[in-house]
Coordinates of all heavy atoms in Angstrom, one line a residue:
I1 N 16.3 98.8 170.9 CA 15.4 99.8 171.0 C 15.6 100.9 169.9 O 14.7 101.7 169.6 CB 15.6 100.6 172.3 CG1 14.3 101.4 172.8 CG2 16.9 101.5 172.4 CD1 13.1 100.7 172.9
G2 N 16.7 100.9 169.1 CA 17.0 102.0 168.2 C 17.9 101.5 167.1 O 17.6 101.5 165.9
L3 N 19.1 101.1 167.5 CA 20.1 100.9 166.6 C 19.9 99.6 165.7 O 20.1 99.6 164.5 CB 21.5 100.5 167.4 CG 22.8 100.5 166.5 CD1 23.1 101.8 165.8 CD2 23.9 100.0 167.5
G4 N 19.2 98.5 166.2 CA 19.0 97.3 165.5 C 17.8 97.7 164.2 O 18.1 97.5 163.2
P5 N 16.7 98.2 164.7 CA 15.6 98.4 163.5 C 15.9 99.7 163.0 O 15.5 99.7 161.7 CB 14.3 98.3 164.5 CG 14.7 98.8 165.7 CD 16.1 98.1 166.1
G6 N 16.4 100.7 163.6 CA 16.5 102.0 163.0 C 17.5 101.9 161.9 O 17.3 102.8 161.0
C7 N 18.6 101.1 161.9 CA 19.5 101.1 160.9 C 19.2 100.3 159.7 O 19.9 100.2 158.7 CB 20.9 100.7 161.4 SG 21.7 101.9 162.4
W8 N 17.9 99.8 159.8 CA 17.3 99.3 158.5 C 16.2 100.1 158.0 O 16.1 100.3 156.8 CB 16.6 97.8 158.6 CG 17.6 96.7 158.8 CD1 17.9 95.8 159.8 CD2 18.5 96.3 157.8 NE1 19.0 95.1 159.6 CE2 19.4 95.2 158.2 CE3 18.8 96.7 156.5 CZ2 20.4 94.6 157.6 CZ3 19.8 96.2 155.8 CH2 20.7 95.0 156.2
L9 N 15.6 100.8 158.9 CA 14.5 101.7 158.6 C 15.1 103.1 157.9 O 14.5 103.3 156.8 CB 13.8 102.3 159.9 CG 12.9 103.4 159.7 CD1 11.7 103.1 158.8 CD2 12.3 103.9 161.1
V10 N 16.2 103.5 158.4 CA 16.7 104.7 157.7 C 17.1 104.4 156.1 O 16.8 105.3 155.3 CB 17.9 105.3 158.5 CG1 18.6 106.3 157.7 CG2 17.4 105.9 159.8
P11 N 17.9 103.4 155.9 CA 18.2 103.2 154.5 C 17.1 102.8 153.6 O 17.0 103.2 152.4 CB 19.1 101.9 154.6 CG 19.8 101.8 155.9 CD 18.6 102.4 156.8
S12 N 16.0 102.2 154.1 CA 14.8 102.0 153.4 C 14.0 103.1 153.0 O 13.3 103.1 152.0 CB 13.9 101.1 154.2 OG 13.1 101.7 155.2
E13 N 14.2 104.3 153.7 CA 13.4 105.5 153.3 C 14.2 106.6 152.9 O 13.6 107.6 152.4 CB 12.7 105.8 154.7 CG 13.4 106.3 155.8 CD 12.6 106.6 157.1 OE1 11.4 106.4 157.0 OE2 13.1 107.1 158.1
C14 N 15.5 106.7 153.0 CA 16.1 107.9 152.8 C 16.7 108.1 151.3 O 17.1 109.0 150.8 CB 17.5 107.9 153.6 SG 18.9 106.9 153.1
F15 N 16.4 106.9 150.5 CA 16.7 107.0 148.9 C 15.4 107.4 148.2 O 14.5 106.9 148.5 CB 17.3 105.8 148.7 CG 18.6 105.3 149.2 CD1 18.5 104.0 150.0 CD2 19.6 106.1 149.4 CE1 19.6 103.8 150.7 CE2 20.8 105.8 150.0 CZ 20.8 104.5 150.6
Y16 N 15.6 108.1 147.1 CA 14.5 108.4 146.2 C 14.2 107.2 145.2 O 15.1 106.3 145.2 CB 14.6 109.7 145.5 CG 15.7 109.8 144.6 CD1 15.5 109.6 143.1 CD2 17.0 110.3 145.0 CE1 16.6 109.8 142.4 CE2 18.1 110.4 144.1 CZ 17.9 110.1 142.8 OH 18.9 110.4 141.8
N17 N 13.1 107.3 144.6 CA 12.6 106.1 143.9 C 13.5 105.6 142.8 O 13.8 104.3 142.8 CB 11.3 106.4 143.1 CG 10.1 106.5 144.2 OD1 10.1 105.6 145.1 ND2 9.2 107.4 144.1
D18 N 14.2 106.4 142.1 CA 14.9 105.9 140.9 C 16.2 105.0 141.4 O 16.7 104.3 140.7 CB 15.4 107.1 140.1 CG 16.1 106.7 138.9 OD1 15.4 106.1 137.9 OD2 17.3 106.7 138.7
I19 N 16.8 105.5 142.6 CA 18.0 104.8 143.1 C 17.7 103.8 144.3 O 18.7 103.3 144.7 CB 19.1 105.8 143.5 CG1 18.7 106.6 144.7 CG2 19.3 106.8 142.3 CD1 19.8 107.4 145.3
R20 N 16.4 103.7 144.7 CA 16.2 103.0 146.0 C 16.7 101.7 146.0 O 17.3 101.3 147.0 CB 14.9 103.2 146.4 CG 14.5 102.6 147.8 CD 13.1 102.9 148.2 NE 12.7 104.2 148.3 CZ 11.8 104.7 147.6 NH1 11.1 104.0 146.7 NH2 11.6 106.1 147.6
M21 N 16.3 100.9 145.1 CA 16.7 99.4 145.0 C 18.2 99.2 145.0 O 18.7 98.5 145.8 CB 16.0 98.7 143.9 CG 16.3 97.3 144.0 SD 15.4 96.4 145.3 CE 16.8 95.9 146.4
R22 N 18.8 100.0 144.1 CA 20.4 99.9 144.0 C 21.0 100.4 145.2 O 22.0 99.7 145.7 CB 20.8 100.5 142.7 CG 22.2 100.1 142.2 CD 22.4 100.5 140.9 NE 21.4 99.9 139.8 CZ 21.5 98.7 139.3 NH1 22.5 97.9 139.5 NH2 20.5 98.3 138.6
A23 N 20.5 101.5 145.7 CA 21.2 102.0 146.8 C 21.0 101.2 148.2 O 21.9 101.0 149.1 CB 20.9 103.5 147.1
M24 N 19.7 100.5 148.3 CA 19.4 99.8 149.4 C 20.3 98.5 149.3 O 20.7 97.9 150.3 CB 18.0 99.4 149.3 CG 17.6 98.5 150.6 SD 17.6 99.4 152.1 CE 17.5 98.2 153.3
S25 N 20.4 98.0 148.1 CA 21.5 96.8 147.8 C 23.0 97.2 148.3 O 23.5 96.3 149.0 CB 21.5 96.3 146.5 OG 20.2 95.9 146.0
L26 N 23.4 98.2 148.1 CA 24.5 98.8 148.4 C 24.7 98.9 150.0 O 25.7 98.5 150.6 CB 25.0 100.1 147.8 CG 26.4 100.8 148.2 CD1 27.4 99.8 147.7 CD2 26.5 102.2 147.6
A27 N 23.6 99.4 150.6 CA 23.7 99.4 152.1 C 23.6 97.9 152.7 O 24.4 97.8 153.7 CB 22.4 100.2 152.6
T28 N 22.8 97.1 152.1 CA 22.8 95.8 152.5 C 24.2 95.0 152.3 O 24.7 94.2 153.2 CB 21.8 94.9 151.9 OG1 20.5 95.6 152.0 CG2 21.6 93.6 152.6
F29 N 24.8 95.3 151.3 CA 26.1 94.7 150.8 C 27.1 95.2 151.9 O 27.9 94.5 152.4 CB 26.5 95.3 149.4 CG 27.8 94.9 149.0 CD1 28.0 93.6 148.2 CD2 29.0 95.7 149.2 CE1 29.3 93.4 147.9 CE2 30.2 95.4 148.8 CZ 30.4 94.2 148.0
A30 N 27.1 96.6 152.2 CA 28.1 97.2 153.2 C 27.7 96.5 154.6 O 28.7 96.1 155.3 CB 27.9 98.6 153.2
N31 N 26.5 96.4 154.8 CA 26.1 95.8 156.2 C 26.7 94.3 156.4 O 27.3 93.9 157.4 CB 24.7 95.8 156.4 CG 24.1 95.1 157.6 OD1 23.9 93.9 157.7 ND2 23.9 95.9 158.6
R32 N 26.6 93.5 155.3 CA 27.0 92.3 155.4 C 28.5 92.0 155.3 O 29.1 91.2 155.9 CB 26.4 91.4 154.2 CG 24.8 91.2 154.3 CD 24.5 90.3 155.5 NE 24.2 91.1 156.7 CZ 24.0 90.6 157.9 NH1 24.1 89.3 158.1 NH2 23.7 91.4 159.0
C33 N 29.2 92.8 154.6 CA 30.6 93.0 154.6 C 31.1 93.3 155.9 O 32.1 92.6 156.5 CB 31.1 94.0 153.6 SG 30.9 93.6 151.9
T34 N 30.4 94.2 156.6 CA 31.0 94.5 158.1 C 30.7 93.4 158.9 O 31.5 93.1 159.8 CB 30.2 95.8 158.5 OG1 30.3 96.8 157.5 CG2 30.6 96.2 159.9

């Protein structure tokens, strides 16, 4: 209801354009490491 989709939604929208792809990769990297 929240934790599953919300924790992909927040990283996808909280970074600004210049860093979004690299920061999103970092978030995914941390997610997969965990």
Side-chain angles (χ1 to χ4, degrees):
I1 198 65
L3 193 58
C7 288
W8 285 119
L9 171 60
V10 170
S12 75
E13 66 183 3
C14 75
F15 304 119
Y16 63 95
N17 285 321
D18 190 72
I19 68 169
R20 184 174 301 117
M21 186 67 245
R22 201 165 296 276
M24 186 66 192
S25 294
L26 182 61
T28 308
F29 178 89
N31 177 276
R32 292 297 91 188
C33 284
T34 307

